[in-house]
Amino acid sequence: MARYVEVLFRHWWQFLILLFLLPGAVTAASIAIFGTYQASAALWVDSPSSIGIPATPSGWNQYLTPAQNEQDSLNQMLRTRSFLSDLGDRLTSSGTITTRSELSSVLGSVARQLKVTPAGSHLVTINFSCERAAVCVAAISGTIELFHQRLAKQQQDQADIASSFYASEIDGANIRLKAAEGGVDKYLADHPQVSLAESQAIPELDLLVRQVSESRAEIDSLRQKAGQAAFTGAAALRLVQSISSVIDPPRLSERGLVNSGSIKRAALAVIAFWAAGAAYLVVLTWLDRTARDPRELERRLRVPVLVTIPHFAHMGRA
Amino acid sequence: MERIDLRASDVAESLDEALAGRPATPGFAPRPLERARPVALPAWFIDRCRRAYLSVSFPEGAARIIGITSAFYGEGKTSVAIGIAMAVAADTQEPTLLLECDLERPSFDRFFGFRTAPGLAEWLEALAPLRVIRAAPLENEYIIPAGSRPTDPARIIYRLSESNVMAELRPRFRNIVLDLPPVLNIAYSSLACRLAERILLVARYGLTPIEDLEKAEFLLGQERLTGILLNGYASKVPRWLRGLL
C-alpha cells in the first residue's frame, strides 16, 4: 500500500492529468460537441368548477389535485403514437426539424424523456432535454399546444354529442307539447261551454293543461342545456386554456450535462480514465523495485534502517 | 595462508612518524602535519550520521571500527563516511581516523581539497611513507587517503587485511571509519569489508534496487551488517500520511 501511495505522489502530475485533467477535458469536449439543452415550461391548472364550468374534463379523478390530473392526462397522451405523430408534423412543418433521423430521435426522446412533474396542487412543470436549443423549446411548445387542442377536441366532441342528444330530446318534447295542445283544443271544441280558465275545476281539462305546461318547461330546460353544450363546444379551446394556463412559456433553462446520455458519456470517460490510472499505478509500482520504503527494506533484508538522510543538492557522491 | 611481510615495527614506526609530522631535516624547521580543507556538510546531515553511529553497538573499551559501503557507486557512501567520522570525532573528542579503502575511485581529494597521492596504496607498496592528514576544523580527526589507483588494488587490500596495520591503528585511534569499496561493483570489496567490525550499508532512495541490496547483504553477511542508511530520501508522501500507512 505504501509503495502505491509513494508512486502516486511521486508521479502526481501524471496522475493529475490522467485522473482529473483528461476526464475533465473529455467531459468539456463532450459538452461542447454533444451539447445538450434543457427547456422547461410551467402550467397553472385550475379545477373547471372554480371558473364556473360545470363540466369536468375527460379522465379527471376527483380525488387527485388538478396538477396531478393534468400530469396524468399529459403522460397518457405522450404514450400515444398519434400524439407523437402530430407533434412530429408540427415540428417538421414549422421548419424546426429538417431531417428524418433527427425527427425520429427527437420523438423518441419526447416519449422517454419529456418530464411532467406536479410542483404543487396546481403547478405543473414540463422539462425536456435535447441536442438543439430550438428543438427543445419547440417540442415543449408543440406538446402544450397539442395537449390543449386534444383536450378541446374532446370537449367539442362531448358537446356535439350532448347537443345532438338535446336536439332529439327537444324534438320529442315538441311532439308531446303539440299532442297536449291538440288535446286541450279538442276538449274545448267538444265542450264549448267550458273555458280554459275553468280548467282547475275540471280534472280532465286540468290534466291536459298540466301536460302542456310540463312539455313547455321540459323544452325550455332542454334548450338551456343544448345552449350550454353548444357554448362548451364553441369555446372548448378557450375553456381548456383557462383551466390549464401557461404561466411560464417554454424557454431554455440549462445547458450542459443535463440529460442521461451526456451524464453517461461523462461517467464512462471518468471510469475509463480512472481504470487506466489504476492500471498505470500498478505498472509503475511493479516496475519500480528500488529502495524507497524503509519498512519494506527492513522486512525484506531483515536489517534495520538506522536513518533516512534527506536529499540535498550539493551532496558529494561516491 | 601466507603472511604478508609488513613488520609490526615498520608499521608502528610509519604511523608514529606520520602522526608526528615530517621530522626536521638538518638545517630546516620541522613541518607540521598536513591539514585538509574543512568539508561543507550541512549540520543536519552530520546529525543524521550521528544517529546512525549511535545505533551501532560495540564491545565496551574496544576500538570502534565502522565500515561504510554500498551496493554500487554513486549512492553517497563517502559523504556518509565523512559525516560519521566528523560526528564521532566531535562527540567523543577521541582520535578518529577516516581511512579511504576505495582504491578504485578515491574521492577524498574532492571533499578535502588535498592531492590524492601518495596515500595508503603507495605506503603498502612501499613506494612512499604513510601520509596522515589532519582534518579541519576538528583537531582529533585524521585522514589517510587511498592514494593513486594501483595496478592491482585487490593485492593492496589483501596486504592491508592480512598485515597488522589495523592492529597498529587500533591503539592510536579509538574510532576508525572505513570508506569501503562498493560491494557489487568491486570484486575484492568482501575482503575490504572484513577490516570493519560493523558495517553500514548505504542505499540511495529510488536508485538502488532492493534485489541488489539483498545480494550485498548476502556478500557481507548478516552478522556484520549492522544497518542500512537510506540516503537521498525524498519521499513526496506527506509525513502525516506516511505515519498512517
Side-chain angles (χ1 to χ4, degrees):
Chain A
M1 183 65 186
R3 283 187 75 84
Y4 288 103
V5 175
E6 174 75 36
V7 169
L8 193 67
F9 275 85
R10 197 166 63 249
H11 302 281
W12 65 271
W13 54 274
Q14 293 178 9
F15 285 98
L16 180 75
I17 291 171
L18 197 59
L19 300 182
F20 296 102
L21 297 184
L22 279 177
V26 168
T27 304
S30 171
I31 293 168
I33 297 166
F34 310 105
T36 50
Y37 298 84
Q38 180 168 301
S40 62
L43 302 179
W44 186 264
V45 188
D46 270 317
S47 176
S49 59
S50 67
I51 56 172
I53 301 171
T56 302
S58 169
W60 274 47
N61 184 335
Q62 60 175 327
Y63 299 109
L64 298 180
T65 63
Q68 288 171 326
N69 276 310
E70 184 89 339
Q71 180 208 17
D72 185 48
S73 303
L74 197 44
N75 278 337
Q76 288 181 56
M77 212 163 276
L78 283 168
R79 300 287 175 275
T80 61
R81 280 201 300 275
S82 66
F83 180 85
L84 294 175
S85 172
D86 289 349
L87 182 63
D89 292 344
R90 184 176 284 262
L91 293 173
T92 312
S93 61
S94 66
T96 311
I97 291 176
T98 51
T99 61
R100 182 169 289 279
S101 60
E102 188 184 15
L103 180 65
S104 61
S105 164
V106 168
L107 292 181
S109 298
V110 167
R112 289 190 309 273
Q113 294 174 9
L114 195 140
K115 300 273 184 275
V116 183
T117 314
S121 59
H122 292 77
L123 189 65
V124 174
T125 59
I126 302 173
N127 295 295
F128 179 56
S129 301
C130 66
E131 292 175 0
R132 284 208 296 138
V135 173
C136 289
V137 174
I140 292 186
S141 298
T143 300
I144 293 171
E145 286 171 18
L146 272 176
F147 177 62
H148 284 167
Q149 284 177 4
R150 293 224 163 189
L151 284 183
K153 180 77 169 48
Q154 284 179 354
Q155 292 285 97
Q156 280 174 340
D157 290 346
Q158 285 177 355
D160 288 347
I161 292 168
S163 295
S164 304
F165 172 74
Y166 291 135
S168 64
E169 287 292 301
I170 288 169
D171 289 344
N174 275 330
I175 291 167
R176 285 194 295 278
L177 176 62
K178 279 186 182 167
E181 284 175 343
V184 170
D185 291 342
K186 186 170 180 302
Y187 186 87
L188 291 174
D190 292 344
H191 305 84
Q193 70 281 9
V194 178
S195 69
L196 198 58
E198 299 168 31
S199 63
Q200 287 180 345
I202 305 162
E204 192 179 356
L205 180 60
D206 185 46
L207 180 65
L208 289 170
V209 168
R210 221 179 286 161
Q211 283 177 346
V212 169
S213 57
E214 281 174 4
S215 295
R216 281 181 182 153
E218 187 185 4
I219 287 167
D220 288 344
S221 169
L222 287 171
R223 278 184 181 151
Q224 196 177 355
K225 287 177 181 173
Q228 181 68 45
F231 166 74
T232 305
L237 188 58
R238 288 298 308 275
L239 289 172
V240 166
Q241 286 171 344
S242 301
I243 293 168
S244 168
S245 57
V246 179
I247 55 168
D248 281 338
R251 65 174 177 80
L252 282 182
S253 56
E254 285 178 46
R255 181 175 190 276
L257 293 176
V258 290
N259 71 359
S260 58
S262 301
I263 291 168
K264 203 182 290 178
R265 266 199 295 270
L268 278 175
V270 169
I271 288 167
F273 279 110
W274 277 68
Y280 186 53
L281 178 65
V282 169
V283 168
L284 280 181
T285 308
W286 186 76
L287 288 176
D288 183 9
R289 296 171 181 244
T290 58
R292 290 190 185 276
D293 182 16
R295 280 173 292 188
E296 187 187 5
L297 277 182
E298 287 179 346
R299 194 178 64 249
R300 287 186 59 173
L301 274 72
R302 293 180 300 283
V303 174
V305 174
L306 303 178
V307 70
T308 58
I309 302 173
H311 175 77
F312 68 101
H314 302 293
M315 182 190 282
R317 292 170 66 176
Chain B
M1 184 178 285
E2 184 193 357
R3 190 78 186 165
I4 300 297
D5 185 22
L6 197 63
R7 284 179 298 167
S9 57
D10 292 348
V11 173
E13 193 179 332
S14 297
L15 280 168
D16 290 338
E17 277 182 19
L19 286 169
R22 190 167 295 180
T25 312
F28 293 91
R31 271 197 277 176
L33 208 59
E34 186 181 349
R35 186 172 278 276
R37 190 180 66 193
V39 181
L41 286 174
W44 62 260
F45 180 81
I46 308 286
D47 187 55
R48 295 292 173 118
C49 293
R50 176 178 290 115
R51 275 198 240 168
Y53 93 77
L54 286 175
S55 308
V56 183
S57 61
F58 288 95
E60 191 65 35
R64 293 183 280 262
I65 305 178
I66 308 175
I68 314 298
T69 187
S70 61
F72 298 105
Y73 280 113
E75 297 182 352
K77 69 176 172 55
T78 301
S79 303
V80 170
I82 293 169
I84 287 180
M86 287 175 78
V88 174
D91 289 359
T92 62
Q93 294 296 314
E94 295 167 343
T96 301
L97 176 67
L98 179 58
L99 181 59
E100 188 176 27
C101 298
D102 188 355
L103 304 177
E104 300 277 341
R105 285 196 206 173
S107 58
F108 276 10
D109 55 330
R110 283 196 290 113
F111 288 91
F112 293 102
F114 50 64
R115 64 184 195 285
T116 308
L120 186 68
E122 283 81 5
W123 178 56
L124 289 172
E125 292 273 50
L127 298 174
L130 180 62
R131 183 171 164 227
V132 179
I133 300 161
R134 192 189 291 273
L138 299 167
E139 293 292 322
N140 59 327
E141 187 187 353
Y142 299 87
I143 304 161
I144 296 180
S148 53
R149 187 182 183 281
T151 50
D152 189 0
R155 188 161 55 85
I156 302 293
I157 294 295
Y158 182 69
R159 270 175 175 270
L160 184 62
S161 65
E162 295 302 321
S163 69
N164 59 341
V165 172
M166 294 307 292
E168 287 296 328
L169 286 172
R170 281 170 199 261
R172 288 168 178 80
F173 299 100
R174 184 75 201 293
N175 310 296
I176 301 173
V177 179
L178 306 178
D179 180 22
L180 298 167
V183 179
L184 299 183
N185 274 135
I186 305 297
Y188 58 82
S189 60
S190 300
L191 190 62
C193 289
R194 283 193 210 160
L195 298 170
E197 290 172 356
R198 300 281 187 274
I199 292 177
L200 300 181
L201 182 64
V202 178
R204 195 163 189 86
Y205 173 86
L207 191 73
T208 314
I210 297 176
E211 285 81 4
D212 289 334
L213 288 173
E214 287 173 335
K215 286 179 200 164
E217 182 198 19
F218 175 75
L219 290 172
L220 292 170
Q222 205 172 21
E223 65 280 358
R224 278 196 306 157
L225 180 58
T226 309
I228 297 169
L229 286 83
L230 191 54
N231 190 23
Y233 190 69
S235 176
K236 297 272 196 298
V237 183
R239 190 184 293 270
W240 64 267
L241 186 56
R242 282 206 302 267
L244 292 176
L245 294 171

